[in-house]
Amino acid sequence: LIADANQDGTRDSYEDEFIEIENKSDHDISLEGNSIAVGEKSDIRNIFSKDTTLEAGKALVLFSGGSLTNLLQNCTAKLSKNSLKLSNSGSAIFILNGEDVIDSINYQKGSGDNQSISRYPDITGDFIGYKSIKEANGLLYSVCTKIDGSYF
């Protein structure tokens, strides 16, 4: 199905929403107790459990809902405790350790436009709409892969 990002066989505008977190470092990072907030820092959508580790040079994908049983084998993915409810009107996404902001992104109305917002070039670049990336070949998103199709 087109736009079935979590590959569960159902296109759902909420459950197929995802946030991909990339570890640019050369060491694993425990996300235990860290949280994801959307909109305001106080609007917590997920708190990572003790078994959540972001491997060096890899990515973790946090989905809003659905089933993850059909996802790529090379994909590290989790279901959010609550729906991510990413706004098409623009918002902010925070990764928090307690009240401290580890990382964040602000995105504007229309920047998603029914597509992912991705760093270009991968991992280090600015955030842009996925459709505007030539190497994406017209895809609207990529889950667990870099723009060239290789795995994180």
Side-chain angles (χ1 to χ4, degrees), residues 53-72:
T53 299
L54 186 51
E55 295 178 47
K58 302 283 184 179
L60 178 139
V61 181
L62 182 67
F63 279 98
S64 197
S67 170
L68 304 180
T69 57
N70 295 328
L71 266 176
L72 302 169

Side-chain angles (χ1 to χ4, degrees), residues 76-115:
T76 301
K78 299 270 186 187
L79 286 174
S80 180
K81 305 270 190 266
N82 300 296
S83 178
L84 296 172
K85 296 181 184 174
L86 301 175
S87 172
N88 291 329
S89 300
S91 192
I93 300 170
F94 302 94
I95 302 174
L96 302 167
N97 183 332
E99 293 185 16
D100 296 331
V101 176
I102 296 171
D103 203 357
S104 66
I105 173 178
N106 290 301
Y107 63 96
Q108 304 303 314
K109 180 179 181 177
S111 60
D113 191 26
N114 295 317
Q115 64 181 321

Side-chain angles (χ1 to χ4, degrees), residues 3-103:
D4 179 19
N6 62 16
Q7 300 173 16
D8 66 356
T10 303
R11 167 67 180 108
D12 185 286
S13 60
Y14 291 108
E15 291 184 352
D16 288 308
E17 291 183 327
F18 65 93
I19 298 170
E20 194 166 66
I21 304 168
E22 302 162 355
N23 180 354
K24 298 187 251 185
S25 77
D26 60 359
H27 61 278
D28 294 353
I29 299 171
S30 172
L31 294 177
E32 177 182 353
N34 290 322
S35 58
I36 298 290
V38 178
E40 302 290 329
K41 291 190 301 183
S42 61
D43 194 358
I44 303 296
R45 306 292 168 90
N46 186 70
I47 299 174
F48 290 105
S49 60
K50 66 180 177 181
D51 65 339
T52 308
T53 299
L54 186 51
E55 295 178 47
K58 302 283 184 179
L60 178 139
V61 181
L62 182 67
F63 279 98
S64 197
S67 170
L68 304 180
T69 57
N70 295 328
L71 266 176
L72 302 169
Q73 291 180 343
N74 295 332
C75 184
T76 301
K78 299 270 186 187
L79 286 174
S80 180
K81 305 270 190 266
N82 300 296
S83 178
L84 296 172
K85 296 181 184 174
L86 301 175
S87 172
N88 291 329
S89 300
S91 192
I93 300 170
F94 302 94
I95 302 174
L96 302 167
N97 183 332
E99 293 185 16
D100 296 331
V101 176
I102 296 171
D103 203 357

Side-chain angles (χ1 to χ4, degrees), residues 18-22 59 93 105-107 111-136 139-149 152:
F18 65 93
I19 298 170
E20 194 166 66
I21 304 168
E22 302 162 355
I93 300 170
I105 173 178
N106 290 301
Y107 63 96
S111 60
D113 191 26
N114 295 317
Q115 64 181 321
S116 287
I117 302 167
S118 182
R119 286 191 184 273
Y120 183 75
D122 275 319
I123 302 173
T124 59
D126 293 331
F127 285 99
I128 63 171
Y130 206 77
K131 290 188 287 191
S132 64
I133 301 171
K134 181 181 174 186
E135 295 87 342
L139 294 175
L140 301 177
Y141 59 88
S142 67
V143 177
C144 300
T145 61
K146 298 178 183 175
I147 293 166
D148 66 7
F152 281 102

